[in-house]
Amino acid sequence: MDSTLDSQTPEPTPPAGGGLAAQGGPAADSTPSSGPVPRSLTEPPEAGRRPRIHRAWWVAFVAFVALVGAAGFRATPGVFIEPLHAEFGWSRGTISAAVSLNVLLYGLTSPFAAALMDKYGIRRVVAAALLLVSAGSGLTVFMAYSWQLLLLWGLLVGVGTGSMALAFAATVTSRWFVARRGLVSGVLTAGGAAGQLVFLPLVALAVEGPGWRVASLAVSAASLLVVPLVIWVMRDRPEDTGTIPYGAGPEYRTPPRPTGGAASGALRALAGAARTRVFWLLAGTFAICGASTNGLVAVHFVPAAHDHGMPVTAAASLLAVIGVFDLVGTVASGWLTDRFDPRLLLAVYYALRGVSLLFLPLLLSDTLHPPMLFFVVFYGLDWVATVPPTMALCRAHFGERGPVVFGWVLAAHQAGAGAAAWAAGAVRDVSGAYDQVWTVSGALCAVAALMSVVIGGTARAHRGG
C-alpha cells in the first residue's frame, strides 16, 4: 500500500488555505485494500514545518456548500404559494400537495442515496443530485398544469435534494472524521437548514420584482455552479487521497467496502434496525421534528403571517433570521453532543420548541414587535438542533450502518413534514386560519420530548465521537 500511495500523481490543490492532509496532498481516486494504515500518514509534521489542513476539512467545506446550494430550491415553496395561486388559480391544498411530495421523497430517497454513496461514491451521487435539482428548478418556468408542479417540485427536486439530505452529512462525518464528529455534523446540518431560510428573502425579492420564474432560474443556476466544486474537491474516502480520517490514530483500519446492491443494502439496514425499540423511538421523534419545522414553519409561516397583514418580504426576512440563529444553535448542539447525553439534549430541544409553537398564534400580526422577534430568536436556535444528537444515537446504536439507518430515520422526518405541509394547507382552506395547526404541533413536540427520554442509553459511546 505504501508504494501505491507514493506513486500516485497529486491533484490540484483546493483554493485558499494551504495544503492538505498528508503525503503532499490528495491523489487520484484509488481503491485501497483493508489493512494497516502506513504510520507516516499519522505522524505529525516535521519540526518547524507549518501543519497542513487535513483533507477532511476541505471535504466538509464542499459538503457544506453543496447542502446550501441544494437548499436554494427548497426555500421557494413558502413564497411561491401565493404567486402560483394568483397566476394559475390552483388551490393552496394543491400546491401544498406538491410540497408534500417533495419533502416525502426528500426523506425516502435519503437511505438509498446513502447506500449508493457506499457503492458508487459520494462525488458521483452528489454531482448527479445537483444536476437534477438544477433541471427541476429550471423547468418550472415552462409549467402550465398542476401535474407539472407535482412532477418538477415534487418528483425531480424531491429526489435530487433527498440525495443530498442529512444522510449525506452523516456519511461525510462518519467516513472523514473520528474526532469532532458532533461539531462537524452540527455545521453541515446548519448549512442545509440555514441556507434554505437565508435564501428566502432573496427569493421573495425576486418574486415581487421580476417574478417567480426569474427566482426559479436563479436557484437553478446556483445549484449548477456547485457541481464543478464537488467534482474537483470531493472524494469518497480518506484512503483515496493517501490519508486517514481526521482524529484517527495508528490503530485505524480501513472499513471493508459494502458488497451487494445499494437498494438491497439499504433495505437490509432497515430490516435490522426495525427490530429494535431505539429505531422506532428515533423515527417517531424525528417525524415530529419534521412536522414542526420543514413541513409547517418553513412552508406555511410566510402565508400565515401574510394572513395577518404582514408583507411577504417581511415574513420571509423573519424566516431568514430564524436561519441565522439556527446556524448558531445547531453548531452549538453539535458541540454539546460531543460532551453530553444526546437523549437529554433531544428532550430539552423538543420541549422548548413545543412551548414556542404554542405561543405563535398570539404573536402573529401585521407589524414586527419585540415578542415576535423573541420567538424568531428562540425558535431559530432550536430549528434543527435535534439533528446532531439524533445522528450520534444512530452511530452509537447501529455502528457502520449508522448513516444508512439515519437515512431511514430521516425518511420518517420527511414523512412527518409532508403530512404537516399538506394538512396545514388543507386546514387553511377549510377554516381560513392556521391557529389550530400551531397548537397541535406544540402538543406533538411535548410527546417527542417524552419519547426522547426513554431511548435506550449508551451515553458513554456518544461522547468524544
Side-chain angles (χ1 to χ4, degrees), residues 305-324:
H306 188 62
D307 284 348
H308 287 77
M310 184 180 294
V312 170
T313 51
S317 297
L318 286 179
L319 271 184
V321 175
I322 287 177
V324 172

Side-chain angles (χ1 to χ4, degrees), residues 9-27:
T9 302
E11 296 177 344
T13 302
L20 303 178
Q23 302 292 331

Side-chain angles (χ1 to χ4, degrees), residues 55-121:
R55 180 62 180 256
W57 295 109
W58 288 114
V59 172
F61 169 75
V62 174
F64 181 90
V65 173
L67 288 166
V68 171
F73 195 86
R74 298 190 65 236
T76 59
V79 294
F80 275 28
I81 289 177
E82 292 300 327
L84 292 178
H85 173 70
E87 179 171 340
F88 297 104
W90 300 332
S91 71
R92 293 176 181 84
T94 297
I95 300 170
S96 296
V99 179
S100 297
L101 178 60
N102 175 288
V103 297
L104 182 61
L105 287 176
Y106 175 84
L108 290 176
T109 303
S110 182
F112 295 99
L116 284 170
M117 289 177 192
D118 278 344
K119 188 169 182 63
Y120 298 108

Side-chain angles (χ1 to χ4, degrees), residues 25-71:
D29 285 350
S30 61
T31 306
S33 59
S34 300
V37 174
R39 180 172 176 77
S40 60
L41 296 181
T42 66
E43 290 175 346
E46 298 174 6
R49 288 183 60 188
R50 181 181 176 184
R52 296 180 176 183
I53 298 175
H54 195 286
R55 180 62 180 256
W57 295 109
W58 288 114
V59 172
F61 169 75
V62 174
F64 181 90
V65 173
L67 288 166
V68 171

Side-chain angles (χ1 to χ4, degrees), residues 75-429:
T76 59
V79 294
F80 275 28
I81 289 177
E82 292 300 327
L84 292 178
H85 173 70
E87 179 171 340
F88 297 104
W90 300 332
S91 71
R92 293 176 181 84
T94 297
I95 300 170
S96 296
V99 179
S100 297
L101 178 60
N102 175 288
V103 297
L104 182 61
L105 287 176
Y106 175 84
L108 290 176
T109 303
S110 182
F112 295 99
L116 284 170
M117 289 177 192
D118 278 344
K119 188 169 182 63
Y120 298 108
I122 298 174
R123 181 169 53 167
R124 292 178 181 176
V125 174
V126 173
L130 284 167
L131 291 173
L132 199 59
V133 170
S134 180
S137 178
L139 290 173
T140 57
V141 302
F142 302 109
M143 67 183 180
Y145 303 98
S146 58
W147 67 264
Q148 295 169 336
L149 181 70
L150 289 167
L151 175 64
L152 298 174
W153 266 20
L155 181 61
L156 290 186
V157 178
V159 172
T161 55
S163 298
M164 292 177 291
L166 296 177
F168 164 48
T171 301
V172 169
T173 303
S174 296
R175 288 190 188 177
W176 282 89
F177 292 86
V178 172
R180 304 291 186 269
R181 277 177 171 172
L183 178 63
V184 174
S185 64
V187 172
L188 295 181
T189 300
Q196 180 183 352
L197 299 181
V198 170
F199 267 107
L200 271 173
L202 301 177
V203 174
L205 287 173
V207 168
E208 292 202 348
W212 65 267
R213 288 179 175 83
V214 172
S216 292
L217 291 175
V219 171
S220 176
S223 296
L224 192 61
L225 288 174
V226 182
V227 175
L229 188 62
V230 169
I231 294 174
W232 182 31
V233 178
M234 184 71 70
R235 291 295 179 270
D236 301 327
R237 297 175 185 273
E239 294 80 7
D240 295 343
T241 65
T243 187
I244 58 176
Y246 179 82
E251 72 285 355
Y252 175 77
R253 297 294 182 271
T254 302
R257 293 180 183 265
T259 58
S264 61
L267 293 173
R268 284 196 303 270
L270 174 63
R275 292 194 288 267
T276 68
R277 176 170 169 263
V278 170
F279 172 79
W280 292 108
L281 287 170
L282 288 172
T285 55
F286 225 39
I288 293 173
C289 178
S292 57
T293 54
N294 297 67
L296 183 57
V297 176
V299 176
H300 292 285
F301 178 83
V302 171
H306 188 62
D307 284 348
H308 287 77
M310 184 180 294
V312 170
T313 51
S317 297
L318 286 179
L319 271 184
V321 175
I322 287 177
V324 172
F325 282 95
D326 162 68
L327 182 63
V328 176
T330 308
V331 172
S333 176
W335 183 85
L336 291 171
T337 300
D338 285 333
R339 291 159 176 80
F340 298 100
D341 188 341
R343 297 171 301 157
L344 300 181
L345 293 176
L346 286 177
V348 171
Y349 296 157
Y350 284 121
L352 294 177
R353 183 186 300 173
V355 170
S356 65
L357 288 172
L358 290 174
F359 279 98
L360 182 57
L362 305 176
L363 303 178
L364 291 169
S365 69
D366 57 348
T367 59
L368 297 178
H369 49 84
M372 172 57 78
L373 295 176
F374 178 78
F375 167 83
V376 166
V377 173
F378 189 84
Y379 182 85
L381 291 171
D382 198 355
W383 175 264
V384 288
T386 55
V387 174
T390 302
M391 281 186 183
L393 288 168
C394 286
R395 197 160 47 235
H397 285 280
F398 302 105
E400 289 296 324
R401 304 309 297 163
V404 179
V405 173
F406 178 76
W408 287 110
V409 172
L410 179 63
H413 179 282
Q414 295 308 112
W422 172 82
V427 169
R428 170 62 178 80
D429 283 339

